[in-house]
């Protein structure tokens, strides 16, 4: 069994990760709509990663004999005026998710819940990567987004992203 406060935060994180998946699915859907299939692919795979994160939180709670009640996933409420908009929202969102992970880590740290801290270590590192990826997308868009030929090539590059399962696995 885990501490009730830590458990509550971990259960809520399942919802937040599924929301991330839903938000990135919305980005993907938008890019598909405007004909940037590579960007659409990149965010479709990002959505799959987020679903994986949600399932890892669920599995961790199950492995610790916690009863989990799944809540409704919020509707993605972003409006996009240009192809750069999702990239900006993406970085903001990852910074927010980092703060959530740090809050859970802090709660586990306060009560010396070393098991949860060890579980969260992977997510602390992962968030560093996610923020970097989100940042890099903005940098690339700023460099190449305004010229149709280079935007086409960037889109082609993003079309090459393939799904890989998370390096964290729980027994
Ligand atoms: Fe995530
Ligand atoms: Fe990732």
């Amino acid at each position: 069994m885990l501490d009730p406060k830590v458990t509550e935060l971990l259960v809520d994180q399942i919802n937040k990760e599924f929301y991330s998946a839903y938000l990135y699915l919305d980005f993907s859907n938008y890019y598909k709509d405007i004909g940037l299939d590579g960007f659409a692919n990149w965010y479709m795979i990002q959505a799959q990663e987020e679903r994986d994160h949600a399932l890892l939180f669920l599995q961790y709670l199950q492995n610790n004999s916690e009863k989990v009640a799944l809540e409704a996933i919020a509707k993605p409420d972003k409006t996009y005026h240009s192809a750069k908009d999702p990239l900006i929202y993406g970085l903001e969102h990852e910074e927010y998710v980092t703060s959530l992970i740090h809050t859970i880590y802090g709660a586990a740290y306060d009560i010396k819940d070393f098991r949860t801290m060890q579980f969260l270590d992977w997510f602390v590192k992962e968030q560093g990567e996610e923020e970097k990826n989100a940042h890099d997308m903005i940098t690339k868009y700023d460099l190449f987004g305004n010229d149709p030929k280079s935007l086409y090539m960037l889109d082609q590059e993003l079309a090459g992203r393939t799904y890989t399962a998370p390096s964290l696995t729980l027994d």
Side-chain angles (χ1 to χ4, degrees):
M1 294 294 276
L2 300 169
D3 168 78
K5 171 74 185 166
V6 170
T7 299
E8 191 189 319
L9 291 169
L10 289 167
V11 170
D12 193 48
Q13 195 61 29
I14 299 172
N15 192 279
K16 294 296 199 306
E17 299 290 346
F18 272 121
Y19 176 77
S20 300
Y22 213 24
L23 180 66
Y24 294 147
L25 190 62
D26 198 53
F27 289 4
S28 180
N29 185 42
Y30 164 73
Y31 283 124
K32 200 83 185 163
D33 190 48
I34 61 169
L36 288 172
D37 288 4
F39 283 75
N41 171 65
W42 202 92
Y43 278 105
M44 180 62 81
I45 286 165
Q46 195 57 31
Q48 287 175 270
E49 266 202 16
E50 298 304 339
R51 177 211 54 196
D52 290 342
H53 296 168
L55 297 180
L56 283 165
F57 280 98
L58 176 60
Q59 197 184 355
Y60 179 73
L61 286 156
Q62 289 169 340
N63 287 356
N64 284 280
S65 309
E66 294 295 343
K67 201 168 144 65
V68 174
L70 298 173
E71 298 291 334
I73 314 293
K75 177 183 171 180
D77 61 349
K78 304 295 183 200
T79 45
Y80 316 114
H81 302 288
S82 91
K84 189 178 169 181
D85 283 355
L87 309 180
I88 305 286
Y89 292 136
L91 178 58
E92 277 173 11
H93 186 68
E94 287 304 332
E95 286 170 347
Y96 168 63
V97 173
T98 298
S99 77
L100 297 174
I101 299 289
H102 288 185
T103 297
I104 310 171
Y105 204 105
Y109 177 87
D110 286 346
I111 57 154
K112 294 188 163 60
D113 178 356
F114 301 116
R115 190 192 307 154
T116 298
M117 286 160 67
Q118 192 186 48
F119 165 68
L120 290 174
D121 278 338
W122 185 88
F123 285 94
V124 171
K125 186 162 177 273
E126 170 71 9
Q127 281 312 119
E129 288 169 16
E130 298 295 19
E131 284 186 34
K132 183 184 185 302
N133 288 342
H135 211 272
D136 287 352
M137 290 288 269
I138 294 171
T139 304
K140 283 183 182 181
Y141 191 86
D142 286 343
L143 280 169
F144 308 118
N146 292 321
D147 170 64
K149 271 188 199 152
S150 45
L151 179 61
Y152 179 77
M153 290 181 77
L154 176 58
D155 193 58
Q156 291 286 351
E157 181 194 317
L158 298 176
R161 185 180 185 191
T162 54
Y163 170 77
T164 41
S167 57
L168 177 66
T169 49
L170 303 181
D171 295 329

